[in-house]
Structure formats: C-alpha cells, structure tokens
Amino acid sequence: MRAALLIALLAATRSAAAHQVDYAHVHPAEYYERPPRERVHAYLGGGALVAPVARQDLPRLAGDADATVGAGGTIFGGVRLGPVFAVEVDYVRTHHGTDEGGSPAEDRVLAIESVDFALKLHVPTRALVEPYFQLALGGAVLGDAQGRLAEGGSFALGGGVDLWLHPSLTVGARALYRSAALHEPDRSTRGDGAFVSVVAVDLNFQVHF
C-alpha cells in the first residue's frame, strides 16, 4: 500500500513539473499587450478646445462685428492604418463673442461649425508619447441665433501629441490652424472675400478598438 501511494505521489509531482512555466526566462514584454498603433484599427474621440481668432474679414456677413476668442468642442473618429498613417473625420463647433462697440450684453454670439476629412502622419516611436502632424480639408458654416450667415470651404493644418494610458485609451493635445473662406448661402458667386481663421487648441481623449 505504501509503495502504491509513493508511486502516485511521484507521478503527480512529475505532472505538475511538466506544466510549470519557467517565468524567470519569459521576457517581461510578453506580459503586456502592445498599443494597437502597429495594426489597423478604428478609434473614436472627443475633446474641449479654445480658439483665438487669428485673422478675419466678415464685412456684411456678421453685421460689421468682429469675432473674439471662442471655445467649444470636437468629436472625431478614424482608422489607424499602421504605425504612421491614419485617416480621420472631425466635427468642430466653437462659439465666439463679438465686438461691435457696444456693451457685452448687446453683442451677439457667433458659432463656427466645420467638418473636416484629415490625414494624420504619426512619428513612429515605441514610447508612450506619440507626436503627429495633421492636414485636413472640409467645409465650414458661420451662424448666430438667427440661423446660418455664411458657408464655404475650409482647411486645417497643425499637429499634436498622444499619450498612451492603456492599449485602448489615449489622451492628447493638439493645435490646428483652421481657416475658412466664406460666402452667403443664397449667393451663386463666391468672390465676396470673407474669411475667418482661428488657432484651435484642444485637449482630447481617444478610445481604440
């Protein structure tokens, strides 16, 4: 009986040893999933931004008012195509006060909305911090409480940086020069020369799938 128990104990010990992993020889990187920047994947994000006005010429469109510094938000989504390239769609809305020479209570609030199709070029790093450049083309609308005042084409150029907190989550900041050439919605000609440019600086987060 003792011999049988001894044989069973030895067999169990050998079976456990056969399934034991020598963790001392496993590279630490194998315990962590790498950020999905190396593969094709989709992502969604949003953020808050401030948008000082850099240049503007809004003669009749805004009633001879000048737009002041604005604030708003952005929602965006895209597809990461690998370690360098990504394509993205951005929706941005900012609200700007106006300086018409009256008291602040009498001044209007102007809203600028834009939808852009962007190409992003990431600087490939294996660090948690990842910079990128962005170029976008799209359209913009200028309006107030009464409705749409003007519309036209727009572009954006700038860059940003993302910080990987988790394989599925990043936080970031970016600064884009956004410019729009505007015309009245009911005019067939686009040669009225109205435009507005802002420097949009946002803090954002992204969820990667």
Side-chain angles (χ1 to χ4, degrees):
M1 185 66 178
R2 291 181 179 179
L5 290 174
L6 181 59
I7 293 173
L9 181 59
L10 290 174
T13 303
R14 290 180 179 177
S15 177
H19 291 84
Q20 185 177 3
V21 178
D22 186 4
Y23 292 102
H25 294 86
V26 177
H27 194 277
E30 297 182 21
Y31 289 104
Y32 302 95
E33 181 183 355
R34 293 172 61 189
R37 69 187 81 174
E38 301 293 338
R39 60 177 175 82
V40 177
H41 71 278
Y43 61 90
L44 292 174
L49 60 87
V50 294
V53 176
R55 299 177 61 203
Q56 61 182 312
D57 183 9
L58 306 174
R60 291 161 289 110
L61 301 180
D64 296 323
D66 288 330
T68 59
V69 62
T74 177
I75 300 173
F76 55 91
V79 177
R80 184 74 179 258
L81 302 176
V84 177
F85 295 102
V87 290
E88 186 175 289
V89 178
D90 293 356
Y91 169 76
V92 180
R93 181 182 178 95
T94 54
H95 295 270
H96 301 259
T98 58
D99 182 6
E100 301 181 67
S103 65
E106 297 173 347
D107 293 338
R108 292 184 301 165
V109 174
L110 298 176
I112 301 175
E113 291 183 278
S114 63
V115 176
D116 299 327
F117 298 89
L119 173 66
K120 298 174 75 172
L121 283 76
H122 296 83
V123 178
T125 68
R126 295 191 176 274
L128 296 179
V129 177
E130 186 178 34
Y132 61 86
F133 301 97
Q134 179 170 334
L135 171 65
L137 298 175
V141 174
L142 174 70
D144 61 7
Q146 305 302 318
R148 179 180 299 187
L149 300 173
E151 60 188 20
S154 66
F155 78 91
L157 179 65
V161 62
D162 290 330
L163 172 63
W164 290 86
L165 301 178
H166 184 271
S168 299
L169 180 64
T170 57
V171 295
R174 63 180 166 181
L176 298 175
Y177 180 82
R178 295 184 171 275
S179 185
L182 303 171
H183 63 90
E184 296 178 53
D186 58 349
R187 287 175 60 92
S188 59
T189 176
R190 298 173 181 244
D192 44 22
F195 66 88
V196 61
S197 302
V198 302
V199 178
V201 180
D202 71 62
L203 298 176
N204 61 74
F205 73 94
Q206 301 170 44
V207 178
H208 300 260
F209 303 97

